[in-house]
Amino acid sequence: MAALRQGDFAALQSLLKAPSKDAVRQLCRQCFSSPPAGLGPLAQRACLDLTAGPEEAEQLVSALHSLTRHVVYHGLTRAEDILSLFPENFHQNLKNLLTKIILENISAWRNEAQASQISLPRLVDMDWRVDIKTSSDSISRMAVPTCLLQLKIQEDVALCGNSPVVSALTVELSKETLDTMLEGLGRIRDQLSAVANK
Amino acid sequence: MLRLRRAPAPGPGPGGAGGAAAAAAAMGLLNFTQEPVPEAVSGDMHNLNQLSAQQFSALTEVLFRFLMEPKEVERFLTQLSDFATMNKISLGPLKNIVKSILLVPNGALKRNLSSEQVRADFIALGLSEEKASYFAEQWKVNSPTLTRLAVGQTLMINQLIDMEWKFGVTAGSSELEKVGSIFLQLKLVIKKGSQMENVYIELTLPQFYSFLHEMERVKTSLESFS
């Protein structure tokens, strides 16, 4: 996460050339969501939209990225906090517009940041079925219920980027295993309520 | 040393019982198997009949102990060898006899046979009524445990062996200075073929509650079928 630099605000002034408020809005969103590596292509498009030179576009895009990420990182939610980031002589209307856009998007951006956090592989879905085993090579007649659990697991989002790898794992549980598992899960639930009640 | 020898070829007298066994097997009258029984079996039964009630009882005990714990092969062989020495029987023939006897309980387990059926089979093979009844009695006592063992050996795909968990709070990240969200991490130990594999998963709190809810539904379902 890049830190806010003084030069960033100067670069932001290029937004004054934007065709509309919506264009600014869209650019803000794109700059926030893009990883640092994706800013290049974004700058190229900004070149065309804002009739700016390539260097200017790059600086603008980088500045917007830093600004939006900075606000989200520090969890700024009040207009005053965001307005105070801008230097004294910054264009008043542009400052207000940017603050408004940021406030509109802040909670969505926060969720996005949390969702793309590094983590262990995540559970995305789970399905189950109960079978009755009626026969096997070791015993020809029986009626043993068993559970098949399918877990859909997504690898770390940060590693996969736009094409998440989801693998399915099917696991078999006997009744005893399930009981033990439920015992463990129950204990987790109890501890969670204890923490929540503190 | 009393050498137990194979019985002579089937004919009138003691060999008659052997002939009956072979005939019974040929006609598919045995409960524990549909395949032809090896010829040696009738001879082995004949030799078994020579043992005293006490000796037969001791041998049966050794056999059932092995059936209950089939992995304890070393112990089983040692106990057989001790039996052989104590009763002045040669080990080689004893092992063959034991092999023949074990055919019945193994088949009986697969086919969920009752003790009457086991008794009938032993008699058809040539074992004395007294000994057949005794073995069948032991079978009755031990079969629930043996059945459970057999069920336990039934194939399981990717069996869940163990589950470890931890949960905590994410304090901050490179993108968010203060987070304060709860995460739950599970480690599942799964048996894939003969190897163990560890699978690590992370769940959010809502996912955890949903998972718990589903597992409780599974438990209800399993219980209704037990």
Side-chain angles (χ1 to χ4, degrees):
Chain A
M1 195 215 65
L4 262 182
R5 297 154 304 199
Q6 270 303 77
D8 286 337
F9 289 102
L12 286 174
Q13 309 256 38
S14 304
L15 283 172
L16 292 167
K17 289 193 266 182
S20 67
K21 287 186 182 168
D22 276 333
V24 176
R25 192 167 275 124
Q26 202 186 7
L27 193 60
C28 283
R29 289 205 190 114
Q30 286 168 338
C31 288
F32 173 80
S33 301
S34 162
L39 291 175
L42 208 53
Q44 281 170 353
R45 268 181 291 156
C47 256
L48 301 166
D49 293 339
L50 291 107
T51 55
E55 210 183 285
E56 193 186 337
E58 262 173 43
Q59 283 171 347
L60 167 62
V61 151
S62 167
L64 258 183
H65 175 84
S66 300
L67 175 64
T68 49
R69 293 265 171 129
H70 177 95
V71 172
V72 171
Y73 178 79
H74 288 284
L76 304 177
T77 47
R78 298 182 311 165
E80 309 85 79
D81 296 328
I82 302 173
L83 288 167
S84 63
L85 290 171
F86 293 84
E88 284 275 331
N89 57 352
F90 196 84
H91 191 284
Q92 195 66 2
N93 288 347
L94 182 58
K95 179 168 77 175
N96 290 335
L97 176 64
L98 282 173
T99 305
K100 180 164 174 261
I101 293 173
I102 290 173
L103 284 175
E104 275 168 11
N105 289 286
I106 193 99
S107 59
W109 283 344
R110 211 192 140 77
N111 289 339
E112 202 179 305
Q114 251 187 295
S116 56
Q117 210 162 262
I118 57 170
S119 76
L120 285 183
R122 293 194 194 167
L123 182 69
V124 290
D125 196 11
M126 104 176 224
D127 289 308
W128 59 266
R129 98 177 183 206
V130 165
D131 286 349
I132 311 277
K133 297 190 202 186
T134 54
S135 176
S136 81
D137 60 326
S138 47
I139 188 158
S140 63
R141 259 187 306 125
M142 57 180 176
V144 178
T146 188
C147 169
L148 285 175
L149 183 63
Q150 187 186 71
L151 302 166
K152 290 227 177 75
I153 300 171
Q154 184 185 64
E155 292 303 312
D156 192 356
V157 173
L159 287 174
C160 306
N162 286 330
S163 46
V165 176
V166 178
S167 58
L169 173 70
T170 306
V171 168
E172 189 171 343
L173 295 90
S174 65
K175 188 169 177 306
E176 292 72 36
T177 313
L178 178 72
D179 287 339
T180 312
M181 185 195 228
L182 271 174
E183 216 182 306
L185 294 176
R187 256 181 281 146
I188 298 175
R189 183 194 45 206
D190 295 339
Q191 290 197 22
L192 282 171
S193 345
V195 165
N197 289 335
K198 278 213 183 97
Chain B
M1 249 199 197
L2 174 67
R3 286 190 179 279
L4 294 175
R5 282 176 295 133
R6 300 253 161 255
M27 283 177 4
L29 288 178
L30 293 169
N31 295 309
F32 77 92
T33 184
Q34 281 172 330
E35 285 168 10
V37 170
E39 274 180 35
V41 174
S42 17
D44 291 328
M45 293 296 144
H46 173 74
N47 287 330
L48 260 184
N49 286 332
Q50 315 271 8
L51 294 177
S52 72
Q54 219 174 349
Q55 288 171 319
F56 185 72
S57 154
L59 183 61
T60 308
E61 201 184 309
V62 170
L63 287 176
F64 273 101
R65 216 173 293 149
F66 173 59
L67 285 171
M68 299 285 225
E69 286 167 305
K71 294 207 175 109
E72 299 285 340
V73 181
E74 283 300 314
R75 188 186 70 184
F76 176 54
L77 292 174
T78 313
Q79 286 177 340
L80 272 187
S81 158
D82 290 343
F83 181 86
T85 319
M86 260 199 315
N87 295 286
K88 305 212 182 25
I89 301 170
S90 36
L91 188 55
L94 179 63
K95 282 190 184 168
N96 288 328
I97 290 171
V98 161
K99 220 167 38 172
S100 294
I101 304 178
L102 284 177
L103 287 174
V104 180
N106 285 334
L109 197 55
K110 274 200 189 152
R111 287 146 182 256
N112 305 92
L113 295 184
S114 66
S115 62
E116 286 75 48
Q117 288 169 308
V118 169
R119 179 174 169 274
D121 277 355
F122 269 119
I123 293 177
L125 289 176
L127 194 61
S128 74
E129 251 186 60
E130 189 199 324
K131 293 192 165 76
S133 299
Y134 179 77
F135 196 96
E137 229 357 86
Q138 297 308 304
W139 170 256
K140 195 165 176 179
V141 168
N142 289 299
S143 64
T145 315
L146 289 172
T147 310
R148 235 174 294 136
L149 247 177
V151 168
Q153 278 164 7
T154 304
L155 186 68
M156 279 195 106
I157 314 286
N158 288 355
Q159 186 183 4
L160 180 67
I161 305 286
D162 194 19
M163 177 180 93
E164 287 175 30
W165 51 267
K166 75 172 171 212
F167 74 86
V169 175
T170 302
S173 74
S174 52
E175 301 309 313
L176 293 163
E177 196 178 23
K178 291 198 191 82
V179 181
S181 61
I182 298 182
F183 66 83
L184 175 70
Q185 285 173 356
L186 291 180
K187 171 183 161 190
L188 303 172
V189 181
I190 297 169
K191 191 163 181 202
K192 281 198 166 177
S194 52
Q195 286 173 315
M196 298 290 185
E197 186 180 304
N198 294 333
V199 176
Y200 298 90
I201 328 177
E202 193 166 309
L203 288 84
T204 63
L205 213 50
Q207 279 178 324
F208 164 70
Y209 283 115
S210 162
F211 186 68
L212 175 59
H213 176 69
E214 287 305 306
M215 289 292 102
E216 283 177 341
R217 285 176 75 201
V218 176
K219 177 174 167 137
T220 311
S221 178
L222 282 178
E223 276 176 350
S224 71
F225 287 115
S226 294

